Amino acid sequence: MLSIGPLVSAPGPRDGGTMNVLWIFAHPEPRSLGGSLRDEGVRTLRAQGANVRESDLYAMKWKPVVDADDFGRAASADRLIVGSTSKDAFRTGELGEDIRAEHEKLAWADTVIFQFPLWWYGMPAILKGWFDRVFVKGFAYGVQRPDGRTARYGEGALAGKRAMVVLTAGAPEATIGPRGVNGEIGDLLFPLQHGTLWYAGMSVLPPLTICGADRVSPARYEAAAESLRERLRTLSTQDPIPFRRQNGGDYDGDLVLREDLAPGRSGIGVHLIG
């Protein structure tokens, strides 16, 4: 069976080691607000003594589309079944070189920053394609515990790593909230934060959202940069979002939340403790 432990055994920031941060950046314009904040964030981390590596997806001309070329000889069958084929290619070392390079970065990192602009209520296609191609079966999902249960939602090969979203949005701040027309940011990011990062085992820190990104004055930029610097100063000690663990006893055999937890409620919020 595949191991459910973290991909790396090197000491992380919580046990005295130097923090290793991978910054995934998905914006086509390096001179944008997002690009400036990325530069500020990387400078801040390095000034704190952290090791930083980057994946600038547009600069890398990252291929966002999954196809048979990703899987080498594992894709030789007439029909491409992405899940099982990607698992075979991962286990035999036949994944594409660009995918393997991202796996190596993730293995090295104890913390991953995902930075992108909010486009049509989600991430840019190039970042979605990064997840589609990099989070393959056997690496980020489809991992089993020693008891045979599937290790996900708080367990898995990426357990022990921390993740944080840095988001820029053109919408005014008042419109992104519990009663704002654009919806609450935790709901908008639930598919990424819970359904992808937490699913793969990563502890997810609360996101940093910079609103009004198209209309930022120098004063507002400095406030945004300071908000980012403050979050990065406490990156290794912040409390993660308290998502429920799949195998922690809160869900029944059908993976439905027990009736005695969050009684009378439904929706995204019931998957948070408290």
Side-chain angles (χ1 to χ4, degrees):
M1 291 183 179
L2 295 170
S3 169
I4 65 169
L7 293 176
V8 291
S9 58
R14 286 180 174 269
D15 51 21
T18 300
M19 185 161 54
N20 292 336
V21 181
L22 173 60
W23 198 295
I24 309 289
F25 181 66
H27 197 295
E29 177 51 75
R31 297 165 296 183
S32 63
L33 170 64
S36 296
L37 290 173
R38 183 270 310 270
D39 294 344
E40 183 65 35
V42 170
R43 281 195 299 267
T44 298
L45 288 168
R46 287 177 172 153
Q48 293 171 187
N51 301 313
V52 183
R53 296 175 68 178
E54 299 181 59
S55 288
D56 184 336
L57 300 186
Y58 282 94
M60 294 161 60
K61 299 189 183 302
W62 176 262
K63 186 190 93 171
V65 179
V66 175
D67 59 31
D69 291 342
D70 288 346
F71 310 126
R73 289 177 296 176
S76 61
D78 292 338
R79 180 184 174 199
L80 175 61
I81 302 174
V82 172
S84 59
T85 304
S86 67
K87 182 177 180 179
D88 289 343
F90 169 64
R91 297 183 71 172
T92 60
E94 292 186 272
L95 287 170
E97 182 179 353
D98 56 347
I99 300 172
R100 287 184 282 114
E102 297 306 293
H103 284 180
E104 190 277 326
K105 293 176 190 176
L106 285 166
W108 168 86
D110 51 64
T111 304
V112 186
I113 306 292
F114 295 94
Q115 185 190 356
F116 58 93
L118 185 67
W119 288 353
W120 293 114
Y121 284 79
M123 67 187 85
I126 199 168
L127 181 55
K128 178 59 166 62
W130 183 90
F131 281 108
D132 289 348
R133 297 185 64 227
V134 173
F135 274 35
V136 298
K137 190 170 188 178
F139 175 81
Y141 75 102
V143 179
Q144 289 186 319
R145 295 160 33 125
D147 62 5
R149 300 190 69 181
T150 301
R152 59 190 171 198
Y153 292 118
E155 297 179 321
L158 300 186
K161 298 181 184 296
R162 294 161 73 81
M164 186 175 80
V165 170
V166 175
L167 184 74
T168 49
E173 186 172 0
T175 70
I176 299 182
R179 295 177 62 84
V181 69
N182 291 312
E184 202 275 321
I185 197 63
D187 293 349
L188 300 183
L189 292 176
F190 187 79
L192 171 59
Q193 295 189 143
H194 182 268
T196 304
L197 302 175
W198 179 241
Y199 186 101
M202 303 180 83
S203 298
V204 186
L205 305 179
L208 175 64
T209 306
I210 307 300
C211 296
D214 299 327
R215 300 168 294 277
V216 176
S217 65
R220 289 189 60 202
Y221 172 76
E222 180 51 38
E226 180 53 33
S227 295
L228 177 60
R229 288 191 290 265
E230 178 58 28
R231 290 298 304 276
L232 296 178
R233 281 193 285 265
T234 58
L235 195 58
S236 65
T237 59
Q238 294 169 38
D239 290 331
I241 299 170
F243 291 129
R244 299 182 188 275
R245 292 177 175 270
Q246 173 186 290
N247 296 318
D250 288 355
Y251 297 92
D252 64 20
D254 295 321
L255 300 183
V256 175
L257 191 67
R258 293 189 350 238
E259 292 185 0
D260 59 308
L261 298 174
R265 295 170 52 201
S266 62
I268 289 171
V270 303
H271 301 294
L272 294 168
I273 298 173

